Amino acid sequence: MTTPNPNTRPRSQQIFRRALDVLVGGVNSPVRAFRAVGGEPIVVDRAAAARLWDADDNEYIDYVCSWGALILGHAHPKIVEAINYQARRGTSYGMPTELEVELATRIRRALPSCEKIRFVSSGTEATMSAVRLARAATGRDLIVKFDGCYHGHSDSFLSEAGSGLATLGIAACPGVPQALAALTLNAPYNDAAAVEKLFNENPNKIAAIIVEPIAANMGLVPPSKGFLQTLRDLATRHGALLIFDEVITGFRVCYGGAQSLYGIAPDLTTLGKIIGAGLPVAAYGGRRDLMDQVAPLGPVYQAGTLSGNPLAMSAGIASLDLLAAPGFYDSLEALSKKLGDGISAALRETNAPATAARVGSLLTLFFSRDPITNYADAKKADTKRFAAFFQSMLARGIFIAPSQFEAMFVSAAHTAADIDCTIAALRESLADVSA
Ligand SMILES: *Cc1c(COP(=O)(O)O)cnc(C)c1O
């Protein structure tokens, strides 16, 4: 394997110079700019399976996997075939297709709480639309979200949000009207008592609780025992809806998502990332009586020129069929456990000031010795040390998310050899940054 370092990326640098001139910050999504880890981003030329190559032909084992969308790795032959086949038949019709029915049927089979589904083009649209529906259905305006959870970039979700806002330290986003921001109530993750307090302080005013059932946008933070069930009970008792934002966890932690893993049925669910296999698609779905309030059946308006895009539907169908194969999630778990165990062993051996979290194929290495149960804990992590660790890994050909506040994603395309190689690089990198 080649060992890339910034000096071996002249062509990437040249392209990024041009990008800086014509694109904001040189990127189309902020975390890609490497601001939190320093240096310049890799500029990707191509990818296959678990590998990325940059514009200088340096090779990386990829644990970003398009931020979790690529559970099958890059350019899986079956996905490529599905896209090619569909592209020849037309890329967008703006009219119903059988493909939409096929994908929706598969999703409902996997997540029975999604009795009806509406496809959109991004996770942001899905959560925004789910909240609009929740407000309409309950006749209430307030929503509860958790610090460090990320639900896309629409106005209501930008307070104390995870992902890029955590990475860049943006606690509240300018441009969001104060009157709208005031309708979002924040609580610490894993703190159901705080949510109960919000319900008591705002009787009959809270439309919905929205939560990442496994938080993965402040780094990986699993739900504590009973947390999600308590949210379910609180929502029911107070006449509010429970929205599971499964944009990352859907088809990731198991075929049925976090809701099937924990046996909790939310009223509404948002999906994205994996269901499009790397093409732009997302969805919201839920109880039939709620979804039937969306236009054209009801007055809650929501639409999209490219919604249900046939290329994305085809890729999604091909992807879910591969994920439904017996043993798929068992193999992914075995691979992820190998990585998780390797990381834990390396932490013990190097006595590095870090803690590892893992749920299935989601992992985060926090540079903190304390347990991480919420955003306040996550923010105590040593982000400078993380930055050094990131660069050390990158120089060894391992690409992880360029932020402490993101997860690593293992895909089915990673091999046992990739994991061994990653653990070896990790051990050296931990030694580097612990020195
Ligand atoms: C990525 C993500 C979103 C936003 O999805 P986009 O497609 O980037 O708009 C929403 N919720 C969660 C949990 C996510 O991880």
Side-chain angles (χ1 to χ4, degrees):
M1 175 170 299
T2 52
T3 28
N5 70 56
N7 303 327
T8 66
R9 302 207 298 264
R11 184 153 159 69
S12 297
Q13 283 189 317
Q14 200 183 21
I15 296 168
F16 195 63
R17 284 295 122 70
R18 288 172 55 212
L20 285 170
D21 183 45
V22 74
L23 295 166
V24 182
V27 294
N28 286 303
S29 198
V31 182
R32 298 179 195 172
F34 276 29
R35 284 294 172 94
V37 293
E40 289 187 350
I42 55 171
V43 174
V44 177
D45 178 64
R46 65 191 187 283
R51 294 281 195 286
L52 280 179
W53 287 268
D54 67 18
D56 298 282
D57 225 22
N58 296 306
E59 183 178 317
Y60 307 87
I61 301 178
D62 181 17
Y63 289 98
V64 176
C65 290
S66 193
W67 305 92
L70 301 176
I71 195 168
L72 293 163
H74 297 275
H76 187 287
K78 286 269 192 284
I79 307 292
V80 173
E81 185 188 308
I83 296 170
N84 277 340
Y85 174 79
Q86 181 55 42
R88 286 191 297 270
R89 298 164 61 93
T91 53
S92 184
Y93 313 126
M95 274 289 137
T97 62
E98 187 173 10
L99 297 167
E100 299 167 308
V101 183
E102 289 294 328
L103 186 57
T105 302
R106 282 163 176 75
I107 290 173
R108 185 169 66 183
R109 216 178 284 142
L111 292 83
S113 77
C114 292
E115 294 175 332
K116 275 196 181 171
I117 289 156
R118 170 63 61 83
F119 287 114
V120 292
S121 300
S122 72
T124 294
E125 269 184 274
T127 54
M128 182 181 79
S129 309
V131 161
R132 180 182 301 141
L133 174 56
R135 284 175 165 152
T138 57
R140 301 172 178 184
D141 285 344
L142 300 180
I143 58 167
V144 174
K145 79 171 276 292
F146 295 92
D147 297 339
C149 281
Y150 180 68
H151 306 293
H153 64 87
S154 80
D155 285 353
S156 295
F157 299 123
L158 298 182
S159 55
E160 296 296 339
S163 191
L165 295 101
T167 304
L168 299 172
I170 301 172
C173 175
V176 176
Q178 180 48 42
L180 185 60
L183 300 179
T184 302
L185 309 175
N186 276 72
Y189 197 74
N190 279 325
D191 189 346
V195 178
E196 180 155 28
K197 189 155 171 280
L198 291 174
F199 273 110
N200 291 335
E201 288 166 357
N202 301 279
N204 303 318
K205 288 191 178 149
I206 295 172
I209 306 170
I210 183 165
V211 65
E212 291 181 68
I214 298 165
N217 281 295
M218 53 177 131
L220 180 70
V221 178
S224 56
K225 200 166 179 303
F227 174 60
L228 298 172
Q229 184 61 53
T230 308
L231 295 185
R232 176 65 280 179
D233 296 343
L234 282 170
T236 305
R237 184 168 352 126
H238 294 277
L241 302 182
L242 180 63
I243 306 173
F244 272 10
D245 181 352
E246 297 227 42
V247 169
I248 282 186
T249 53
F251 297 95
R252 165 63 62 182
V253 292
C254 65
Y255 195 67
Q259 53 194 265
S260 106
L261 193 65
Y262 298 114
I264 293 170
D267 301 294
L268 294 171
T269 298
T270 54
L271 295 165
K273 299 192 170 111
I274 287 177
I275 63 165
L279 275 77
V281 62
Y284 64 108
R287 275 167 38 200
R288 183 181 304 271
D289 63 302
L290 295 171
M291 293 304 292
D292 282 354
Q293 299 180 40
V294 175
L297 290 185
V300 182
Y301 196 72
Q302 182 274 309
T305 303
L306 297 179
S307 293
N309 175 263
L311 283 181
M313 296 293 110
S314 299
I317 293 165
S319 184
L320 296 200
D321 286 350
L322 290 161
L323 303 186
F328 178 88
Y329 287 92
D330 295 336
S331 325
L332 188 61
E333 168 63 21
L335 207 57
S336 307
K337 182 172 189 304
K338 182 175 164 67
L339 180 58
D341 290 352
I343 292 175
S344 299
L347 286 177
R348 277 193 306 274
E349 280 163 39
T350 57
N351 194 30
T355 321
R358 179 177 81 88
V359 179
S361 54
L362 298 166
L363 297 96
T364 294
L365 185 57
F366 283 109
F367 282 88
S368 168
R369 287 192 193 275
D370 301 324
I372 310 280
T373 62
N374 60 32
Y375 191 38
D377 296 338
K379 282 202 287 192
K380 284 188 216 141
D382 183 345
T383 52
K384 288 210 174 63
R385 211 184 284 267
F386 174 84
F389 172 74
F390 169 87
Q391 293 294 354
S392 180
M393 290 290 273
L394 191 69
R396 290 177 168 80
I398 312 292
F399 180 51
I400 61 173
S403 166
Q404 173 70 89
F405 306 107
E406 302 282 358
M408 285 171 80
F409 298 93
V410 180
S411 80
H414 287 87
T415 63
D418 291 337
I419 303 288
D420 286 336
C421 178
T422 304
I423 294 166
L426 184 123
R427 196 172 273 122
E428 291 170 10
S429 298
L430 283 177
D432 278 0
V433 305
S434 301

